[in-house]
Amino acid sequence: MSGEVSGAPLSRRTMIASGAALGVGAALPALAAPVSAVFEIEAAGGRKVSVTQWRPAHPVGTILFSHGAASSPRFYEALIGPMVAAGWHVLAPLHVDSREHPDTAKFAGLASWKARLEDFAALTAHIGHRPYVAVGHSYGGLTALVLGGAQSVAPQGWSGPQSDGKAKAVIAFSPPAAIPVLITREGYGKLSVPALVQTGTLDLVPGMTATDRDGWKVHLDAYEAAAPGGNRYGLVLSDVSHYFGGLICDYAQKGPPAVQGLKDANRIAGLFLGAYGRGDSKALAALDRAVSPDLPVRLMKK
C-alpha cells in the first residue's frame, strides 16, 4: 500500500536545500518541524511500540498519524510540519510493516493489519479520554478511516471494536481501494465522522491500482461509499502521484516533486482541521468556498 522506502533517504537539510534551489522552500515547512520526543508504549501481548511525537508549545488539539506500508513517521514531515505549525500535537507510531521496524519479518501479510489496530488501541489508551483527529497515508489512510468508524474485515485473532469512538474527524491521503480481504465498500460506508479523502491524477500504484489513466479513481472508494450528509470531502489534485513525486513516504520515488500539489493538499487539510478539528466557523466557510468540480484542485462534498 506504499512503495519501498529507500535505504538512503535524502536528509532534511538536503530536502530544504533542494526546495530553496527550486524557489519553493515555503512549500516544505514540515522539514523545519522538530521531533520533540520518541517514546515507547506497550501494545497487546507486551509488544513495544515506538511513537514519534511532535509537540508545539501551545497545542490546539491532537492528531494520531499512521504512515504508509514500509515507510515510517520520519518520511512525512512535509505533511506533519504544517499541522504542528498550526498548533497540532502529532503522535505517530512506527508500525510493524515499516522497513525500519526490527521485527517486520515476523508480521507477514494481514498480521500487520492486526498489529496496526493494536498499535492504535494502545495509543488511544495512552492519551486517555482526549478526542483526536486521525490522519494517515495509503495503508495509514485506511487505518485512519477505521479509527473514524469504517469497518475492516476483522483480522484473525481480533474481536471487538476496531476503534475507540474518540476520533472526531479523519484525513486520508490516498487510501486503498476496497479490497475484499481487508475492507469492502460496505465497510468503508460505515465511516461515522467528517472526512477528507485525497488522491491525485497520477496516483497509480502497480499492484494496487489499474495502470490506465483513470486507475487513480479507486483511491476515492472511501469517499464514494460514505453516506451523504456527513461532511465528507473528496480531494483530487492534478499531476499528484501516490508519493507527491517523492516528497512523502519514500524520497526515492520518481519525480518531479509535486510542490504545488503539496501546497494545495496542506492548504485544504489545514482548513479541514480548522473546521472539523477545532470547530472554526471561518475555516469551515473557507473550506466550503473551495468546493469546486474543476482541476487542478477539485474538492467535492457530500
Side-chain angles (χ1 to χ4, degrees):
M1 272 155 262
S2 70
E4 294 185 0
V5 177
S6 168
L10 296 175
S11 69
R12 188 179 307 177
R13 181 176 298 176
T14 300
M15 290 289 283
I16 293 172
S18 299
L22 292 169
V24 296
L28 303 174
L31 302 175
V35 175
S36 59
V38 177
F39 61 92
E40 283 191 343
I41 58 176
E42 190 171 292
R47 181 171 57 84
K48 301 298 183 182
V49 181
S50 175
V51 178
T52 302
Q53 173 180 236
W54 290 260
R55 186 179 181 89
H58 304 288
V60 299
T62 300
I63 287 173
L64 303 188
F65 184 89
S66 183
H67 64 75
S71 191
S72 73
R74 69 187 181 92
F75 287 92
Y76 287 92
E77 290 188 336
L79 293 177
I80 291 172
M83 298 173 188
V84 178
W88 289 91
H89 178 201
V90 181
L91 298 162
L94 180 70
H95 298 304
V96 297
D97 49 80
S98 170
R99 289 180 176 271
E100 297 184 353
H101 196 286
D103 296 324
T104 189
K106 299 178 182 178
F107 293 87
L110 292 177
S112 69
W113 179 238
K114 179 172 179 284
R116 280 176 171 255
L117 295 177
E118 291 171 346
D119 290 349
F120 278 102
L123 186 54
T124 56
H126 173 79
I127 67 172
H129 296 292
R130 196 185 322 168
Y132 58 85
V133 177
V135 181
H137 169 248
S138 194
Y139 200 5
L142 169 63
T143 311
L145 288 159
V146 167
L147 288 174
Q151 187 71 29
S152 79
V153 177
Q156 185 176 2
W158 183 271
S159 61
Q162 297 179 6
S163 67
D164 64 353
K166 291 184 291 188
K168 54 185 177 179
V170 169
I171 299 177
F173 294 98
S174 191
I179 303 171
V181 297
L182 189 56
I183 191 165
T184 63
R185 285 181 68 91
E186 182 182 6
Y188 267 144
K190 294 184 182 297
L191 180 68
S192 58
V193 298
L196 173 65
V197 179
Q198 177 271 332
T199 188
T201 59
L202 299 181
D203 196 351
L204 306 172
V205 186
M208 182 176 172
T209 64
T211 56
D212 63 81
R213 60 182 298 174
D214 292 328
W216 58 269
K217 293 181 179 179
V218 299
H219 295 289
L220 291 174
D221 274 2
Y223 169 76
E224 298 290 351
N231 297 313
R232 282 64 185 260
Y233 296 79
L235 174 63
V236 181
L237 301 172
S238 286
D239 301 323
V240 167
S241 71
H242 198 65
Y243 309 93
F244 284 78
L247 291 178
I248 66 168
C249 187
D250 181 356
Y251 297 159
Q253 283 291 320
K254 182 179 179 180
V259 172
Q260 185 59 51
L262 178 63
K263 285 183 177 180
D264 291 330
N266 284 332
R267 174 174 58 86
I268 298 299
L271 291 174
F272 180 86
L273 285 169
Y276 297 103
R278 298 184 61 187
D280 183 337
S281 60
K282 291 183 178 179
L284 176 58
L287 180 65
D288 285 345
R289 282 196 302 271
V291 170
S292 169
D294 301 321
L295 292 170
V297 182
R298 178 184 297 157
L299 184 63
M300 304 167 286
K301 182 181 182 182
K302 66 177 188 176

